[in-house]
Amino acid sequence: MDADAFWLFDLVGEDIAFWLGYLTNGKHLNWYASFRFTIMAAVFGGCLALVFGLLGAMAKASRFTALRAIGTIYVSMVRGVPDVLFFLFFPLAFEQGVEWVWAMQVCTPDTIAATQANWPPCGEANWLLSTNEYLVLACVSLGIIFGAFTANVIHGAMRAVPQGQLEAARAYGMSDFQVLTRIHIRQMWVYALPGLSNVWLLLIKATSLLSLLQIADIVWWAGQLGSPNFLPQAGLVHGDWRWAYFIALFVFYILITLLSEKGFSRLTTWARRGMPVEG
């Protein structure tokens, strides 16, 4: 091997060693670990959205006027409020609500009167939330927001089930509960899954808002790692590399989208089992 080949081999080896060291430093390991926040928010937020959606759809379809009103108000109000606004409002309102209730227990009237301009009214009532607690509030917020969209999708899917099949089930002697659980909900999924897939993808995109709740998520870390980096002893380490980190996030979300589409395709095939093939 000649001298030029040795020089090229050493240069490539140095580049590989540099990038391995750079991509495995402490900050990058924290970035990789922060992906779990996005996955957890999506999974648990999606589960809560399905629960809220089912409850909201049943409320809208209820024979009781009060339940119908509650379901309609929930679906209409939450869908009409911008996602970002509600995502910020609910955790803040919940946190301050807990602090207010706790302040009534631990703060004296004199302390409350002396600190009217401050919040919470006294230091003992201050509730300092950790990342995990903010993550729980984020999951609940996502569940409430996208539960309204899910309720609308499920309500429409319930109405799309042919009435003749429901009447046939009643003619066979099934009770209303049996018709609901064995026929109505069973066939509803065929009509609901296309809409639910859209809601799921919207929820996935909304997980990029976690940094608004003081959670060091993948978007926050990408901005931090990609910003121009300076060291006193070495000067400029790298320039503005945020474009590269955000491209990595684009790829991540695209992969999640592709996997989700395959998953919903399998769910649709499962939901259609035993049903007559159209055409």
Side-chain angles (χ1 to χ4, degrees):
M1 184 179 294
D2 56 21
D4 291 338
F6 274 115
W7 175 81
L8 181 61
F9 181 78
D10 290 340
L11 183 62
V12 172
E14 290 177 1
D15 287 341
I16 293 175
F18 167 77
W19 286 109
L20 285 177
Y22 177 74
L23 295 175
T24 57
N25 61 26
K27 289 185 177 180
H28 280 84
L29 292 179
N30 287 331
W31 183 40
Y32 306 145
S34 69
F35 277 76
R36 72 185 188 277
F37 296 141
T38 299
I39 300 299
M40 292 173 65
V43 172
F44 291 111
C47 292
L48 289 174
L50 186 58
V51 172
F52 288 130
L54 287 169
L55 293 176
M58 288 191 295
K60 286 190 67 174
S62 174
R63 67 181 69 178
F64 301 105
T65 304
L67 286 178
R68 286 202 309 272
I70 292 173
T72 302
I73 291 173
Y74 165 63
V75 173
S76 301
M77 181 184 69
V78 176
R79 286 194 307 151
V81 176
D83 297 350
V84 177
L85 180 60
F86 194 91
F87 192 76
L88 292 173
F89 165 77
F90 175 77
L92 179 62
F94 184 80
E95 179 183 1
Q96 292 195 352
V98 171
E99 289 179 338
W100 179 79
V101 172
W102 188 238
M104 296 299 100
Q105 306 297 322
V106 300
C107 299
T108 62
D110 295 337
T111 303
I112 296 176
T115 58
Q116 290 183 355
N118 297 329
W119 188 267
C122 64
E124 293 80 1
N126 190 16
W127 185 27
L128 298 176
L129 275 68
S130 65
T131 297
N132 291 333
E133 291 166 335
Y134 273 120
L135 183 60
V136 171
L137 292 178
C139 293
V140 176
S141 299
L142 291 172
I144 294 175
I145 294 170
F146 292 98
F149 293 93
T150 302
N152 208 43
V153 171
I154 292 177
H155 180 67
M158 296 278 284
R159 299 182 65 178
V161 176
Q163 290 296 318
Q165 298 188 23
L166 305 182
E167 293 173 0
R170 295 189 184 96
Y172 272 102
M174 288 187 177
S175 64
D176 289 342
F177 181 77
Q178 289 175 325
V179 172
L180 176 66
T181 56
R182 297 185 182 182
I183 307 298
H184 208 167
I185 293 179
R186 165 67 181 81
Q187 297 197 24
M188 172 270 297
W189 293 112
V190 176
Y191 304 98
L193 283 173
L196 292 179
S197 67
N198 291 331
V199 175
W200 166 251
L201 293 179
L202 290 173
L203 189 151
I204 289 291
K205 293 196 298 183
T207 57
S208 61
L209 303 175
L210 291 177
S211 58
L212 298 178
L213 295 181
Q214 305 179 36
I215 298 174
D217 68 330
I218 56 177
V219 177
W220 184 88
W221 274 111
Q224 294 295 310
L225 293 170
S227 298
N229 191 0
F230 295 88
L231 288 178
Q233 66 273 20
L236 179 64
V237 177
H238 65 73
D240 193 343
W241 286 2
R242 285 176 293 184
W243 61 271
Y245 286 92
F246 289 139
I247 286 177
L249 295 186
F250 291 157
V251 173
F252 168 74
Y253 279 107
I254 289 173
L255 290 176
I256 292 295
T257 299
L258 293 176
L259 291 174
S260 298
E261 289 178 346
K262 288 186 176 295
F264 274 96
S265 177
R266 290 179 178 271
L267 283 175
T268 302
T269 302
W270 169 82
R272 288 185 178 276
R273 73 191 193 285
M275 298 184 66
V277 179
E278 297 181 359

